[in-house]
Amino acid sequence: MLRVKTLQALFKRYRRPGDIVFAWFALFVSVFLLSQLADQTAWRSGGKLFAQPRFWPAVSLGAMTLFSAFHLLGSALSERIHGRWQEVWLWISSLEFAGWFIAYAVAVPYAGYLPSTVIFAVVLALRVGYRKASTLGAAAFAAVVIVLLFKTMLKVNLPSGLIYESLPDGLRQIMLTYF
């Protein structure tokens, strides 16, 4: 067994690129949440301290702020590692897929569940770099299977698209029920 000889070796810190940016972000978020505590929670007079609605959120947000400040201090005192902004850009670029999901959720009530799912599956396959027709066909097929699984077999109530209103009566009823 490897034994730690000094306290300094026990608490040796290994920084990663983007650590200081994350530390600042965590501190700002925790201070902001702590500042909102009085407006978002209540203090009841005559109650026990541990039963107060504000007590445990205050404890957790106070600890979050304290440890965020310690993290920032540790990051500031550690040696600088190159690549900080590449790491931050990776974090920001991953938010693109949250945007795709929001666009999909906005499109479903207008275009319908089946067309939206097929279109977004193919477009996202293209976005991540797939170009072969067989792969795009597989994405479209998987989207159709997902729609059939959720709407037909599991009977999940999903919004029908406004585009279905322009279909002939018989086809409209089938699309509203199963797709």
Side-chain angles (χ1 to χ4, degrees), residues 48-72:
K48 294 182 180 178
L49 177 66
F50 295 123
Q52 293 292 334
R54 186 176 294 166
F55 179 74
W56 291 111
V59 168
S60 63
L61 289 173
M64 182 177 168
T65 303
L66 177 70
F67 291 122
S68 295
F70 284 149
H71 184 200
L72 178 62

Side-chain angles (χ1 to χ4, degrees), residues 5-21:
K5 302 286 186 197
T6 65
L7 190 62
Q8 185 178 15
L10 181 64
F11 290 104
K12 182 164 177 49
R13 201 157 180 283
Y14 298 99
R15 278 190 69 189
R16 303 284 184 257
D19 190 38
I20 191 95
V21 177

Side-chain angles (χ1 to χ4, degrees), residues 10 28 32 34 42 81 89 111 115 118 124 129 131 145 148 168 176:
L10 181 64
F28 282 138
F32 172 74
L34 193 59
I81 295 178
W89 181 248
V118 170
L124 281 172
R131 298 289 185 261
V145 168
L148 289 175
L176 288 172

Side-chain angles (χ1 to χ4, degrees), residues 3 50 61 88 168 171 173 176:
R3 298 195 58 150
F50 295 123
L61 289 173
V88 171
L171 184 58
Q173 190 59 38
L176 288 172

Side-chain angles (χ1 to χ4, degrees), residues 68-144:
S68 295
F70 284 149
H71 184 200
L72 178 62
L73 181 65
S75 293
L77 295 177
S78 297
E79 70 279 355
R80 181 174 181 218
I81 295 178
H82 296 287
R84 173 188 319 161
W85 295 113
Q86 290 89 354
E87 182 74 16
V88 171
W89 181 248
L90 180 67
W91 298 340
I92 292 170
S93 64
S94 67
L95 295 175
E96 171 197 355
F97 292 97
W100 281 101
F101 178 74
I102 291 168
Y104 171 72
V106 168
V108 167
Y110 296 105
Y113 187 48
L114 178 65
S116 296
T117 305
V118 170
I119 289 168
F120 273 85
V122 172
V123 169
L124 281 172
L126 286 167
R127 167 61 187 93
V128 296
Y130 294 108
R131 298 289 185 261
K132 289 176 32 178
S134 61
T135 307
L136 298 177
F141 177 74
V144 171

Side-chain angles (χ1 to χ4, degrees), residues 144-158:
V144 171
V145 168
I146 289 168
V147 169
L148 289 175
L149 177 71
F150 277 88
K151 279 286 266 193
T152 305
M153 294 175 64
L154 297 176
K155 304 215 184 309
V156 175
N157 190 14
L158 296 163

